[in-house]
Structure formats: C-alpha cells, structure tokens
Amino acid sequence: MYQSLEGKVVVITGGATGLGKAMTERFGTEKAKVVINYFKEDQEVKGIIETIEKAGGSANAIQGDVTKEEDIKRMIDHAVNTFGSLDVMINNAGIENEVPSEDLTLEDWNKVISTNLTGQFLGCREAIDYMLEHKIKGSIINMSSVHQEIPWPHFVHYAASKGGVKLMTETLALEFAPHGIRVNCIAPGAIDTPINAEKFSDPELKKGVIELIPMGYIGKPEEIAACAVWLASTEASYVTGLTLYADGGMTQYPGFQAGKG
Ligand code: NAD
C-alpha cells in the first residue's frame, strides 16, 4: 500500500479493459479517487466501480475519445467537478493492428498515431495546464511499449507512436521538472489483455511470444498496475523522464541467452 495515494484524484484513459482496468482497480484499493475513461465499454465500468467501492476507494466513469481535444478537456473537468482536483493523469488508451507497411493506408496510420500519440499528448497537455494553474506537483504516466525500443515489422504505425511517446515523455519531464510535475512512462512487454486476445488464443503464436521473454511467461495486468502505483506515489518523488520497462527481460536481447552470440 502507498499511503500517499489515499484521496488523490487519478484519471485513467482506456480504463475499462486490460491494463487500464487493472490500474483503476489497484488505484481504488490504494483508496485513490479514480475517474475511469471508457470508450465503448459502458457495461464493464459498472462492475469496476463496484469493485473499487468495495475495496474502500471511490470511482466514477466518463465516456470519451482520446483523439478529441474536447473529450480530454471534459475528462479533466469531470475529475475536478466530481472529486475536486487532478493529481495523477494516466494516458493509457491505445490501439494496434497488423498490416505490412507497403499496404498501410493513411487512414490506418492516422488512426493509430492520433490515438496512441496525439491522444497521449492531449492528455499530458491538459493535465499539465491544470496542475500548473493550481500549483499541483502531479504525476503523469504514459503507457508506452517495448516497441518504443524494439522495431516491429507490420506494426510501423504502432512502433512510431510508442517511439514518439518516449521522447514526448522525456521532453515534458524536462520542461516541467522545475514545477515538480513528474512525467514518466511504462513500457510493458507482452501482457495478457484484450489487445492480445486473438494472438494468445493461438497456441503456436503464444509459444512464439513466450520464446521472446527471458522470464518465460506472459505478464499479468496487475504487474503493470504495480508499476503505475509506485510511479504515482511519493516513493518515486525523485523520478521523472523514466521509462519503466516491465517486460520479463524482453528488451535484454533474449536471442543472446545461454551464451549464444
Ligand atoms: P486493451 O485493448 O484492453 O486496452 C485499450 C483501451 O483503450 C481499451 O479500453 C479501449 O477502449 C481504449 N481506447 C481505444 N481507442 C480509444 C479512444 N480513441 N479513446 C479512448 N479510449 C480508447 O489493451 P491493453 O493491453 O490494456 O492496452 C493498454 C495500453 O497498453 C495501450 O496503450 C497499449 O499500446 C499498451 N501496451 C499493451 C501491451 C500488452 O501486451 N497488452 C504491451 C505494451 C503496451
């Protein structure tokens, strides 16, 4: 438990499924006040709010599309109107789709970039603007990926978006460090969430992924939520501009394991 999170107001985009759901529930058990942004999952959020309230936290939900400036502004206003402030902004919403790059349409490229990169920028900008105005030494966490570092054929739009998230995070960390606003990102490896459901339902594809993970297993959403609560807490008070890799060693060149190379 991180006592410093009790009563803090946290907004999590894409908070109704996968990593977002695990983070909303974990911040709830830390007794934070959680605003769950959902896109289309209005049914799922009711159960999440109940879970959080049973654990002694408080939560509410707001529909919104992170690619729309007015929706992001609405999310922050909603947090302030319902819970009184904004202390932690988690830009988590993201999408991916597999397409060989020579066939990638401009429409698909724009969709991924506007959700994964522009959506996160808008979340950062609006949160920072509020924190500056109210002199809040807040924490911003962007959800990146090991693909901010590892090239990924057939996912060039996704890899480009996450590479952008890395430098956006570092730049904002530098820009707002004097104000005590910390900006970090988490780079998960392969985690068991809906984004991977199709791939992991195929035993061969799943085996191929596990072979890329030195620790030998697909990560659990709770293992990413554990990183997020630490980064948001005062235990990480001197940490900014960090990429926290939570990937079972995936970025440590697994091809070189057991003396190969
Ligand atoms: P997920 O598909 O369960 O979650 C994505 C969430 O984003 C969903 O709730 C979806 O509704 C929401 N979303 C999509 N477009 C949106 C929009 N325009 N506006 C608002 N919300 C929108 O998958 P996940 O694994 O939980 O993904 C969460 C984040 O983690 C993503 O940014 C993803 O790139 C990143 N990530 C996941 C993995 C993994 O292995 N699961 C690895 C690295 C990075």
Side-chain angles (χ1 to χ4, degrees), residues 96-134:
E96 65 180 48
N97 67 318
E98 181 172 8
V99 191
S101 299
E102 72 275 21
D103 296 328
L104 182 63
T105 61
L106 180 58
E107 191 187 353
D108 263 1
W109 170 271
N110 283 338
K111 200 172 163 196
V112 168
I113 297 292
S114 64
T115 306
N116 297 9
L117 181 56
T118 312
Q120 293 207 10
F121 165 69
L122 293 171
C124 289
R125 189 193 67 190
E126 290 305 312
I128 288 168
D129 191 44
Y130 179 84
M131 289 169 184
L132 285 176
E133 194 186 335
H134 295 87

PDB file of all heavy atoms in Angstrom, residues 96-134:
ATOM      1  N   GLU A  96      -3.734  -1.124 -31.803  1.00  0.00           N
ATOM      2  CA  GLU A  96      -2.747  -1.611 -32.770  1.00  0.00           C
ATOM      3  C   GLU A  96      -3.465  -2.471 -33.806  1.00  0.00           C
ATOM      4  O   GLU A  96      -4.535  -3.015 -33.529  1.00  0.00           O
ATOM      5  CB  GLU A  96      -1.649  -2.437 -32.074  1.00  0.00           C
ATOM      6  CG  GLU A  96      -2.168  -3.731 -31.451  1.00  0.00           C
ATOM      7  CD  GLU A  96      -1.069  -4.548 -30.761  1.00  0.00           C
ATOM      8  OE1 GLU A  96      -0.292  -3.970 -29.984  1.00  0.00           O
ATOM      9  OE2 GLU A  96      -1.021  -5.771 -31.010  1.00  0.00           O
ATOM     10  N   ASN A  97      -2.904  -2.557 -34.989  1.00  0.00           N
ATOM     11  CA  ASN A  97      -3.392  -3.526 -35.975  1.00  0.00           C
ATOM     12  C   ASN A  97      -2.245  -3.898 -36.907  1.00  0.00           C
ATOM     13  O   ASN A  97      -1.368  -3.078 -37.184  1.00  0.00           O
ATOM     14  CB  ASN A  97      -4.610  -3.010 -36.750  1.00  0.00           C
ATOM     15  CG  ASN A  97      -4.301  -1.844 -37.645  1.00  0.00           C
ATOM     16  OD1 ASN A  97      -3.568  -0.936 -37.259  1.00  0.00           O
ATOM     17  ND2 ASN A  97      -4.854  -1.837 -38.843  1.00  0.00           N
ATOM     18  N   GLU A  98      -2.250  -5.164 -37.310  1.00  0.00           N
ATOM     19  CA  GLU A  98      -1.130  -5.682 -38.098  1.00  0.00           C
ATOM     20  C   GLU A  98      -1.361  -5.443 -39.589  1.00  0.00           C
ATOM     21  O   GLU A  98      -2.379  -5.888 -40.140  1.00  0.00           O
ATOM     22  CB  GLU A  98      -0.979  -7.186 -37.847  1.00  0.00           C
ATOM     23  CG  GLU A  98       0.182  -7.765 -38.636  1.00  0.00           C
ATOM     24  CD  GLU A  98       0.505  -9.202 -38.275  1.00  0.00           C
ATOM     25  OE1 GLU A  98      -0.262  -9.822 -37.511  1.00  0.00           O
ATOM     26  OE2 GLU A  98       1.529  -9.695 -38.783  1.00  0.00           O
ATOM     27  N   VAL A  99      -0.438  -4.745 -40.219  1.00  0.00           N
ATOM     28  CA  VAL A  99      -0.521  -4.508 -41.662  1.00  0.00           C
ATOM     29  C   VAL A  99       0.912  -4.411 -42.218  1.00  0.00           C
ATOM     30  O   VAL A  99       1.709  -3.643 -41.681  1.00  0.00           O
ATOM     31  CB  VAL A  99      -1.206  -3.149 -42.009  1.00  0.00           C
ATOM     32  CG1 VAL A  99      -1.507  -3.064 -43.499  1.00  0.00           C
ATOM     33  CG2 VAL A  99      -2.443  -2.887 -41.195  1.00  0.00           C
ATOM     34  N   PRO A 100       1.242  -5.182 -43.277  1.00  0.00           N
ATOM     35  CA  PRO A 100       2.548  -4.974 -43.909  1.00  0.00           C
ATOM     36  C   PRO A 100       2.655  -3.503 -44.346  1.00  0.00           C
ATOM     37  O   PRO A 100       1.678  -2.937 -44.855  1.00  0.00           O
ATOM     38  CB  PRO A 100       2.521  -5.910 -45.121  1.00  0.00           C
ATOM     39  CG  PRO A 100       1.439  -6.902 -44.807  1.00  0.00           C
ATOM     40  CD  PRO A 100       0.439  -6.197 -43.950  1.00  0.00           C
ATOM     41  N   SER A 101       3.814  -2.903 -44.122  1.00  0.00           N
ATOM     42  CA  SER A 101       3.909  -1.449 -44.271  1.00  0.00           C
ATOM     43  C   SER A 101       3.575  -0.962 -45.680  1.00  0.00           C
ATOM     44  O   SER A 101       3.060   0.147 -45.852  1.00  0.00           O
ATOM     45  CB  SER A 101       5.304  -0.978 -43.865  1.00  0.00           C
ATOM     46  OG  SER A 101       5.519  -1.317 -42.518  1.00  0.00           O
ATOM     47  N   GLU A 102       3.857  -1.795 -46.703  1.00  0.00           N
ATOM     48  CA  GLU A 102       3.570  -1.320 -48.071  1.00  0.00           C
ATOM     49  C   GLU A 102       2.066  -1.218 -48.323  1.00  0.00           C
ATOM     50  O   GLU A 102       1.634  -0.558 -49.264  1.00  0.00           O
ATOM     51  CB  GLU A 102       4.261  -2.213 -49.126  1.00  0.00           C
ATOM     52  CG  GLU A 102       3.687  -3.615 -49.333  1.00  0.00           C
ATOM     53  CD  GLU A 102       4.237  -4.643 -48.337  1.00  0.00           C
ATOM     54  OE1 GLU A 102       4.735  -4.249 -47.282  1.00  0.00           O
ATOM     55  OE2 GLU A 102       4.138  -5.852 -48.643  1.00  0.00           O
ATOM     56  N   ASP A 103       1.260  -1.858 -47.463  1.00  0.00           N
ATOM     57  CA  ASP A 103      -0.198  -1.795 -47.624  1.00  0.00           C
ATOM     58  C   ASP A 103      -0.878  -0.892 -46.597  1.00  0.00           C
ATOM     59  O   ASP A 103      -2.106  -0.808 -46.555  1.00  0.00           O
ATOM     60  CB  ASP A 103      -0.809  -3.209 -47.465  1.00  0.00           C
ATOM     61  CG  ASP A 103      -0.343  -4.155 -48.560  1.00  0.00           C
ATOM     62  OD1 ASP A 103      -0.097  -3.665 -49.682  1.00  0.00           O
ATOM     63  OD2 ASP A 103      -0.211  -5.365 -48.282  1.00  0.00           O
ATOM     64  N   LEU A 104      -0.099  -0.278 -45.743  1.00  0.00           N
ATOM     65  CA  LEU A 104      -0.692   0.504 -44.650  1.00  0.00           C
ATOM     66  C   LEU A 104      -1.336   1.785 -45.209  1.00  0.00           C
ATOM     67  O   LEU A 104      -0.652   2.599 -45.833  1.00  0.00           O
ATOM     68  CB  LEU A 104       0.392   0.852 -43.620  1.00  0.00           C
ATOM     69  CG  LEU A 104      -0.052   1.630 -42.394  1.00  0.00           C
ATOM     70  CD1 LEU A 104      -1.060   0.842 -41.554  1.00  0.00           C
ATOM     71  CD2 LEU A 104       1.161   1.975 -41.530  1.00  0.00           C
ATOM     72  N   THR A 105      -2.622   1.934 -44.983  1.00  0.00           N
ATOM     73  CA  THR A 105      -3.308   3.119 -45.526  1.00  0.00           C
ATOM     74  C   THR A 105      -3.024   4.329 -44.631  1.00  0.00           C
ATOM     75  O   THR A 105      -2.733   4.194 -43.441  1.00  0.00           O
ATOM     76  CB  THR A 105      -4.835   2.897 -45.555  1.00  0.00           C
ATOM     77  OG1 THR A 105      -5.282   2.685 -44.203  1.00  0.00           O
ATOM     78  CG2 THR A 105      -5.215   1.716 -46.425  1.00  0.00           C
ATOM     79  N   LEU A 106      -3.178   5.493 -45.218  1.00  0.00           N
ATOM     80  CA  LEU A 106      -3.010   6.722 -44.445  1.00  0.00           C
ATOM     81  C   LEU A 106      -4.054   6.766 -43.329  1.00  0.00           C
ATOM     82  O   LEU A 106      -3.775   7.212 -42.207  1.00  0.00           O
ATOM     83  CB  LEU A 106      -3.155   7.947 -45.364  1.00  0.00           C
ATOM     84  CG  LEU A 106      -2.991   9.305 -44.691  1.00  0.00           C
ATOM     85  CD1 LEU A 106      -1.634   9.453 -44.006  1.00  0.00           C
ATOM     86  CD2 LEU A 106      -3.200  10.431 -45.696  1.00  0.00           C
ATOM     87  N   GLU A 107      -5.220   6.232 -43.633  1.00  0.00           N
ATOM     88  CA  GLU A 107      -6.290   6.229 -42.627  1.00  0.00           C
ATOM     89  C   GLU A 107      -5.866   5.412 -41.384  1.00  0.00           C
ATOM     90  O   GLU A 107      -6.029   5.848 -40.246  1.00  0.00           O
ATOM     91  CB  GLU A 107      -7.553   5.626 -43.254  1.00  0.00           C
ATOM     92  CG  GLU A 107      -8.778   5.823 -42.405  1.00  0.00           C
ATOM     93  CD  GLU A 107      -9.987   5.078 -42.968  1.00  0.00           C
ATOM     94  OE1 GLU A 107      -9.914   4.519 -44.085  1.00  0.00           O
ATOM     95  OE2 GLU A 107     -10.988   5.047 -42.263  1.00  0.00           O
ATOM     96  N   ASP A 108      -5.313   4.212 -41.634  1.00  0.00           N
ATOM     97  CA  ASP A 108      -4.861   3.364 -40.516  1.00  0.00           C
ATOM     98  C   ASP A 108      -3.700   4.007 -39.760  1.00  0.00           C
ATOM     99  O   ASP A 108      -3.625   3.945 -38.537  1.00  0.00           O
ATOM    100  CB  ASP A 108      -4.416   1.986 -41.041  1.00  0.00           C
ATOM    101  CG  ASP A 108      -5.532   0.959 -40.909  1.00  0.00           C
ATOM    102  OD1 ASP A 108      -6.629   1.335 -40.437  1.00  0.00           O
ATOM    103  OD2 ASP A 108      -5.308  -0.207 -41.287  1.00  0.00           O
ATOM    104  N   TRP A 109      -2.764   4.575 -40.522  1.00  0.00           N
ATOM    105  CA  TRP A 109      -1.626   5.266 -39.896  1.00  0.00           C
ATOM    106  C   TRP A 109      -2.149   6.372 -38.961  1.00  0.00           C
ATOM    107  O   TRP A 109      -1.777   6.458 -37.800  1.00  0.00           O
ATOM    108  CB  TRP A 109      -0.716   5.854 -40.988  1.00  0.00           C
ATOM    109  CG  TRP A 109       0.337   6.781 -40.473  1.00  0.00           C
ATOM    110  CD1 TRP A 109       0.211   8.134 -40.290  1.00  0.00           C
ATOM    111  CD2 TRP A 109       1.664   6.453 -40.031  1.00  0.00           C
ATOM    112  NE1 TRP A 109       1.380   8.661 -39.772  1.00  0.00           N
ATOM    113  CE2 TRP A 109       2.280   7.657 -39.606  1.00  0.00           C
ATOM    114  CE3 TRP A 109       2.390   5.267 -39.967  1.00  0.00           C
ATOM    115  CZ2 TRP A 109       3.590   7.698 -39.119  1.00  0.00           C
ATOM    116  CZ3 TRP A 109       3.701   5.308 -39.482  1.00  0.00           C
ATOM    117  CH2 TRP A 109       4.290   6.515 -39.067  1.00  0.00           C
ATOM    118  N   ASN A 110      -3.049   7.216 -39.509  1.00  0.00           N
ATOM    119  CA  ASN A 110      -3.552   8.354 -38.729  1.00  0.00           C
ATOM    120  C   ASN A 110      -4.328   7.896 -37.497  1.00  0.00           C
ATOM    121  O   ASN A 110      -4.262   8.519 -36.443  1.00  0.00           O
ATOM    122  CB  ASN A 110      -4.452   9.247 -39.591  1.00  0.00           C
ATOM    123  CG  ASN A 110      -3.627  10.123 -40.532  1.00  0.00           C
ATOM    124  OD1 ASN A 110      -2.444  10.362 -40.281  1.00  0.00           O
ATOM    125  ND2 ASN A 110      -4.234  10.586 -41.607  1.00  0.00           N
ATOM    126  N   LYS A 111      -5.056   6.789 -37.636  1.00  0.00           N
ATOM    127  CA  LYS A 111      -5.873   6.315 -36.517  1.00  0.00           C
ATOM    128  C   LYS A 111      -4.982   5.911 -35.325  1.00  0.00           C
ATOM    129  O   LYS A 111      -5.248   6.267 -34.188  1.00  0.00           O
ATOM    130  CB  LYS A 111      -6.711   5.117 -36.990  1.00  0.00           C
ATOM    131  CG  LYS A 111      -7.899   4.853 -36.120  1.00  0.00           C
ATOM    132  CD  LYS A 111      -8.798   3.803 -36.743  1.00  0.00           C
ATOM    133  CE  LYS A 111      -9.733   3.262 -35.676  1.00  0.00           C
ATOM    134  NZ  LYS A 111     -10.376   2.028 -36.042  1.00  0.00           N
ATOM    135  N   VAL A 112      -3.922   5.176 -35.629  1.00  0.00           N
ATOM    136  CA  VAL A 112      -3.027   4.721 -34.560  1.00  0.00           C
ATOM    137  C   VAL A 112      -2.249   5.903 -33.966  1.00  0.00           C
ATOM    138  O   VAL A 112      -2.143   6.044 -32.744  1.00  0.00           O
ATOM    139  CB  VAL A 112      -2.089   3.599 -35.066  1.00  0.00           C
ATOM    140  CG1 VAL A 112      -0.972   3.313 -34.075  1.00  0.00           C
ATOM    141  CG2 VAL A 112      -2.907   2.333 -35.305  1.00  0.00           C
ATOM    142  N   ILE A 113      -1.734   6.764 -34.840  1.00  0.00           N
ATOM    143  CA  ILE A 113      -0.968   7.911 -34.323  1.00  0.00           C
ATOM    144  C   ILE A 113      -1.883   8.837 -33.511  1.00  0.00           C
ATOM    145  O   ILE A 113      -1.506   9.334 -32.444  1.00  0.00           O
ATOM    146  CB  ILE A 113      -0.288   8.702 -35.480  1.00  0.00           C
ATOM    147  CG1 ILE A 113       0.736   7.815 -36.218  1.00  0.00           C
ATOM    148  CG2 ILE A 113       0.362   9.994 -34.954  1.00  0.00           C
ATOM    149  CD1 ILE A 113       1.971   7.420 -35.449  1.00  0.00           C
ATOM    150  N   SER A 114      -3.113   9.045 -33.982  1.00  0.00           N
ATOM    151  CA  SER A 114      -3.963  10.003 -33.248  1.00  0.00           C
ATOM    152  C   SER A 114      -4.429   9.431 -31.914  1.00  0.00           C
ATOM    153  O   SER A 114      -4.617  10.175 -30.956  1.00  0.00           O
ATOM    154  CB  SER A 114      -5.132  10.494 -34.098  1.00  0.00           C
ATOM    155  OG  SER A 114      -5.973   9.428 -34.397  1.00  0.00           O
ATOM    156  N   THR A 115      -4.565   8.118 -31.816  1.00  0.00           N
ATOM    157  CA  THR A 115      -4.959   7.530 -30.517  1.00  0.00           C
ATOM    158  C   THR A 115      -3.741   7.426 -29.602  1.00  0.00           C
ATOM    159  O   THR A 115      -3.753   7.898 -28.464  1.00  0.00           O
ATOM    160  CB  THR A 115      -5.549   6.112 -30.730  1.00  0.00           C
ATOM    161  OG1 THR A 115      -6.598   6.182 -31.683  1.00  0.00           O
ATOM    162  CG2 THR A 115      -6.093   5.549 -29.418  1.00  0.00           C
ATOM    163  N   ASN A 116      -2.676   6.792 -30.093  1.00  0.00           N
ATOM    164  CA  ASN A 116      -1.550   6.427 -29.219  1.00  0.00           C
ATOM    165  C   ASN A 116      -0.612   7.594 -28.906  1.00  0.00           C
ATOM    166  O   ASN A 116      -0.012   7.613 -27.835  1.00  0.00           O
ATOM    167  CB  ASN A 116      -0.707   5.318 -29.866  1.00  0.00           C
ATOM    168  CG  ASN A 116      -1.473   4.030 -30.074  1.00  0.00           C
ATOM    169  OD1 ASN A 116      -2.683   3.980 -29.886  1.00  0.00           O
ATOM    170  ND2 ASN A 116      -0.774   2.985 -30.476  1.00  0.00           N
ATOM    171  N   LEU A 117      -0.467   8.512 -29.852  1.00  0.00           N
ATOM    172  CA  LEU A 117       0.499   9.600 -29.622  1.00  0.00           C
ATOM    173  C   LEU A 117      -0.214  10.929 -29.378  1.00  0.00           C
ATOM    174  O   LEU A 117      -0.046  11.548 -28.326  1.00  0.00           O
ATOM    175  CB  LEU A 117       1.474   9.701 -30.804  1.00  0.00           C
ATOM    176  CG  LEU A 117       2.555  10.766 -30.709  1.00  0.00           C
ATOM    177  CD1 LEU A 117       3.403  10.619 -29.442  1.00  0.00           C
ATOM    178  CD2 LEU A 117       3.466  10.738 -31.939  1.00  0.00           C
ATOM    179  N   THR A 118      -1.058  11.339 -30.331  1.00  0.00           N
ATOM    180  CA  THR A 118      -1.735  12.633 -30.154  1.00  0.00           C
ATOM    181  C   THR A 118      -2.663  12.584 -28.946  1.00  0.00           C
ATOM    182  O   THR A 118      -2.730  13.533 -28.163  1.00  0.00           O
ATOM    183  CB  THR A 118      -2.520  13.005 -31.434  1.00  0.00           C
ATOM    184  OG1 THR A 118      -1.648  12.823 -32.556  1.00  0.00           O
ATOM    185  CG2 THR A 118      -2.995  14.438 -31.395  1.00  0.00           C
ATOM    186  N   GLY A 119      -3.358  11.457 -28.767  1.00  0.00           N
ATOM    187  CA  GLY A 119      -4.253  11.312 -27.606  1.00  0.00           C
ATOM    188  C   GLY A 119      -3.479  11.452 -26.297  1.00  0.00           C
ATOM    189  O   GLY A 119      -3.935  12.094 -25.354  1.00  0.00           O
ATOM    190  N   GLN A 120      -2.286  10.864 -26.248  1.00  0.00           N
ATOM    191  CA  GLN A 120      -1.482  10.969 -25.024  1.00  0.00           C
ATOM    192  C   GLN A 120      -0.960  12.397 -24.849  1.00  0.00           C
ATOM    193  O   GLN A 120      -0.900  12.915 -23.734  1.00  0.00           O
ATOM    194  CB  GLN A 120      -0.326   9.964 -25.063  1.00  0.00           C
ATOM    195  CG  GLN A 120      -0.817   8.519 -24.991  1.00  0.00           C
ATOM    196  CD  GLN A 120       0.216   7.568 -24.381  1.00  0.00           C
ATOM    197  OE1 GLN A 120       1.242   7.981 -23.842  1.00  0.00           O
ATOM    198  NE2 GLN A 120      -0.065   6.285 -24.444  1.00  0.00           N
ATOM    199  N   PHE A 121      -0.589  13.036 -25.967  1.00  0.00           N
ATOM    200  CA  PHE A 121      -0.139  14.429 -25.863  1.00  0.00           C
ATOM    201  C   PHE A 121      -1.254  15.315 -25.288  1.00  0.00           C
ATOM    202  O   PHE A 121      -1.028  16.129 -24.393  1.00  0.00           O
ATOM    203  CB  PHE A 121       0.312  14.980 -27.233  1.00  0.00           C
ATOM    204  CG  PHE A 121       0.426  16.481 -27.204  1.00  0.00           C
ATOM    205  CD1 PHE A 121       1.428  17.088 -26.452  1.00  0.00           C
ATOM    206  CD2 PHE A 121      -0.497  17.288 -27.860  1.00  0.00           C
ATOM    207  CE1 PHE A 121       1.507  18.478 -26.366  1.00  0.00           C
ATOM    208  CE2 PHE A 121      -0.421  18.663 -27.772  1.00  0.00           C
ATOM    209  CZ  PHE A 121       0.583  19.275 -27.027  1.00  0.00           C
ATOM    210  N   LEU A 122      -2.475  15.131 -25.817  1.00  0.00           N
ATOM    211  CA  LEU A 122      -3.591  15.961 -25.332  1.00  0.00           C
ATOM    212  C   LEU A 122      -3.819  15.736 -23.839  1.00  0.00           C
ATOM    213  O   LEU A 122      -4.056  16.681 -23.079  1.00  0.00           O
ATOM    214  CB  LEU A 122      -4.872  15.650 -26.123  1.00  0.00           C
ATOM    215  CG  LEU A 122      -4.851  16.062 -27.605  1.00  0.00           C
ATOM    216  CD1 LEU A 122      -6.081  15.504 -28.325  1.00  0.00           C
ATOM    217  CD2 LEU A 122      -4.788  17.581 -27.752  1.00  0.00           C
ATOM    218  N   GLY A 123      -3.721  14.476 -23.423  1.00  0.00           N
ATOM    219  CA  GLY A 123      -3.881  14.161 -22.001  1.00  0.00           C
ATOM    220  C   GLY A 123      -2.800  14.838 -21.170  1.00  0.00           C
ATOM    221  O   GLY A 123      -3.071  15.401 -20.099  1.00  0.00           O
ATOM    222  N   CYS A 124      -1.558  14.776 -21.640  1.00  0.00           N
ATOM    223  CA  CYS A 124      -0.445  15.435 -20.933  1.00  0.00           C
ATOM    224  C   CYS A 124      -0.686  16.943 -20.872  1.00  0.00           C
ATOM    225  O   CYS A 124      -0.579  17.568 -19.805  1.00  0.00           O
ATOM    226  CB  CYS A 124       0.883  15.204 -21.662  1.00  0.00           C
ATOM    227  SG  CYS A 124       1.506  13.526 -21.555  1.00  0.00           S
ATOM    228  N   ARG A 125      -1.000  17.525 -22.015  1.00  0.00           N
ATOM    229  CA  ARG A 125      -1.132  18.995 -22.078  1.00  0.00           C
ATOM    230  C   ARG A 125      -2.210  19.499 -21.134  1.00  0.00           C
ATOM    231  O   ARG A 125      -1.992  20.445 -20.368  1.00  0.00           O
ATOM    232  CB  ARG A 125      -1.446  19.420 -23.517  1.00  0.00           C
ATOM    233  CG  ARG A 125      -1.387  20.919 -23.712  1.00  0.00           C
ATOM    234  CD  ARG A 125      -1.987  21.353 -25.028  1.00  0.00           C
ATOM    235  NE  ARG A 125      -3.429  21.131 -25.069  1.00  0.00           N
ATOM    236  CZ  ARG A 125      -4.178  21.249 -26.162  1.00  0.00           C
ATOM    237  NH1 ARG A 125      -3.620  21.575 -27.317  1.00  0.00           N
ATOM    238  NH2 ARG A 125      -5.484  21.036 -26.113  1.00  0.00           N
ATOM    239  N   GLU A 126      -3.372  18.873 -21.186  1.00  0.00           N
ATOM    240  CA  GLU A 126      -4.479  19.353 -20.354  1.00  0.00           C
ATOM    241  C   GLU A 126      -4.191  19.142 -18.874  1.00  0.00           C
ATOM    242  O   GLU A 126      -4.520  19.991 -18.048  1.00  0.00           O
ATOM    243  CB  GLU A 126      -5.783  18.659 -20.762  1.00  0.00           C
ATOM    244  CG  GLU A 126      -6.297  19.099 -22.123  1.00  0.00           C
ATOM    245  CD  GLU A 126      -6.470  20.616 -22.232  1.00  0.00           C
ATOM    246  OE1 GLU A 126      -7.073  21.220 -21.325  1.00  0.00           O
ATOM    247  OE2 GLU A 126      -5.971  21.197 -23.214  1.00  0.00           O
ATOM    248  N   ALA A 127      -3.579  17.994 -18.539  1.00  0.00           N
ATOM    249  CA  ALA A 127      -3.266  17.734 -17.130  1.00  0.00           C
ATOM    250  C   ALA A 127      -2.223  18.735 -16.634  1.00  0.00           C
ATOM    251  O   ALA A 127      -2.362  19.306 -15.545  1.00  0.00           O
ATOM    252  CB  ALA A 127      -2.759  16.303 -16.967  1.00  0.00           C
ATOM    253  N   ILE A 128      -1.186  18.968 -17.436  1.00  0.00           N
ATOM    254  CA  ILE A 128      -0.123  19.892 -17.027  1.00  0.00           C
ATOM    255  C   ILE A 128      -0.684  21.305 -16.869  1.00  0.00           C
ATOM    256  O   ILE A 128      -0.370  22.016 -15.904  1.00  0.00           O
ATOM    257  CB  ILE A 128       1.039  19.849 -18.048  1.00  0.00           C
ATOM    258  CG1 ILE A 128       1.799  18.523 -17.906  1.00  0.00           C
ATOM    259  CG2 ILE A 128       1.982  21.037 -17.861  1.00  0.00           C
ATOM    260  CD1 ILE A 128       2.770  18.215 -19.026  1.00  0.00           C
ATOM    261  N   ASP A 129      -1.544  21.704 -17.785  1.00  0.00           N
ATOM    262  CA  ASP A 129      -2.133  23.036 -17.722  1.00  0.00           C
ATOM    263  C   ASP A 129      -2.876  23.213 -16.390  1.00  0.00           C
ATOM    264  O   ASP A 129      -2.717  24.222 -15.695  1.00  0.00           O
ATOM    265  CB  ASP A 129      -3.085  23.214 -18.912  1.00  0.00           C
ATOM    266  CG  ASP A 129      -3.523  24.649 -19.064  1.00  0.00           C
ATOM    267  OD1 ASP A 129      -2.663  25.540 -18.958  1.00  0.00           O
ATOM    268  OD2 ASP A 129      -4.743  24.882 -19.251  1.00  0.00           O
ATOM    269  N   TYR A 130      -3.649  22.196 -16.012  1.00  0.00           N
ATOM    270  CA  TYR A 130      -4.403  22.265 -14.752  1.00  0.00           C
ATOM    271  C   TYR A 130      -3.439  22.283 -13.555  1.00  0.00           C
ATOM    272  O   TYR A 130      -3.586  23.073 -12.618  1.00  0.00           O
ATOM    273  CB  TYR A 130      -5.367  21.068 -14.632  1.00  0.00           C
ATOM    274  CG  TYR A 130      -6.132  21.096 -13.330  1.00  0.00           C
ATOM    275  CD1 TYR A 130      -7.296  21.852 -13.194  1.00  0.00           C
ATOM    276  CD2 TYR A 130      -5.654  20.419 -12.209  1.00  0.00           C
ATOM    277  CE1 TYR A 130      -7.965  21.926 -11.980  1.00  0.00           C
ATOM    278  CE2 TYR A 130      -6.318  20.486 -10.992  1.00  0.00           C
ATOM    279  CZ  TYR A 130      -7.471  21.237 -10.882  1.00  0.00           C
ATOM    280  OH  TYR A 130      -8.129  21.312  -9.674  1.00  0.00           O
ATOM    281  N   MET A 131      -2.439  21.391 -13.608  1.00  0.00           N
ATOM    282  CA  MET A 131      -1.502  21.295 -12.476  1.00  0.00           C
ATOM    283  C   MET A 131      -0.711  22.591 -12.294  1.00  0.00           C
ATOM    284  O   MET A 131      -0.481  23.040 -11.174  1.00  0.00           O
ATOM    285  CB  MET A 131      -0.556  20.103 -12.682  1.00  0.00           C
ATOM    286  CG  MET A 131      -1.252  18.758 -12.516  1.00  0.00           C
ATOM    287  SD  MET A 131      -0.212  17.383 -13.080  1.00  0.00           S
ATOM    288  CE  MET A 131      -1.335  15.993 -12.870  1.00  0.00           C
ATOM    289  N   LEU A 132      -0.308  23.207 -13.408  1.00  0.00           N
ATOM    290  CA  LEU A 132       0.428  24.471 -13.313  1.00  0.00           C
ATOM    291  C   LEU A 132      -0.452  25.542 -12.683  1.00  0.00           C
ATOM    292  O   LEU A 132      -0.039  26.242 -11.762  1.00  0.00           O
ATOM    293  CB  LEU A 132       0.851  24.940 -14.721  1.00  0.00           C
ATOM    294  CG  LEU A 132       2.023  24.207 -15.386  1.00  0.00           C
ATOM    295  CD1 LEU A 132       2.221  24.753 -16.799  1.00  0.00           C
ATOM    296  CD2 LEU A 132       3.309  24.351 -14.570  1.00  0.00           C
ATOM    297  N   GLU A 133      -1.685  25.631 -13.188  1.00  0.00           N
ATOM    298  CA  GLU A 133      -2.589  26.686 -12.713  1.00  0.00           C
ATOM    299  C   GLU A 133      -2.867  26.545 -11.208  1.00  0.00           C
ATOM    300  O   GLU A 133      -2.994  27.535 -10.501  1.00  0.00           O
ATOM    301  CB  GLU A 133      -3.899  26.628 -13.507  1.00  0.00           C
ATOM    302  CG  GLU A 133      -4.741  27.865 -13.328  1.00  0.00           C
ATOM    303  CD  GLU A 133      -6.102  27.756 -13.997  1.00  0.00           C
ATOM    304  OE1 GLU A 133      -6.233  26.976 -14.967  1.00  0.00           O
ATOM    305  OE2 GLU A 133      -7.024  28.432 -13.513  1.00  0.00           O
ATOM    306  N   HIS A 134      -2.937  25.275 -10.742  1.00  0.00           N
ATOM    307  CA  HIS A 134      -3.289  25.052  -9.335  1.00  0.00           C
ATOM    308  C   HIS A 134      -2.080  24.658  -8.477  1.00  0.00           C
ATOM    309  O   HIS A 134      -2.239  24.201  -7.352  1.00  0.00           O
ATOM    310  CB  HIS A 134      -4.401  23.993  -9.247  1.00  0.00           C
ATOM    311  CG  HIS A 134      -5.668  24.481  -9.865  1.00  0.00           C
ATOM    312  ND1 HIS A 134      -5.938  24.343 -11.206  1.00  0.00           N
ATOM    313  CD2 HIS A 134      -6.710  25.167  -9.334  1.00  0.00           C
ATOM    314  CE1 HIS A 134      -7.106  24.906 -11.471  1.00  0.00           C
ATOM    315  NE2 HIS A 134      -7.596  25.416 -10.366  1.00  0.00           N
TER     316      HIS A 134
END
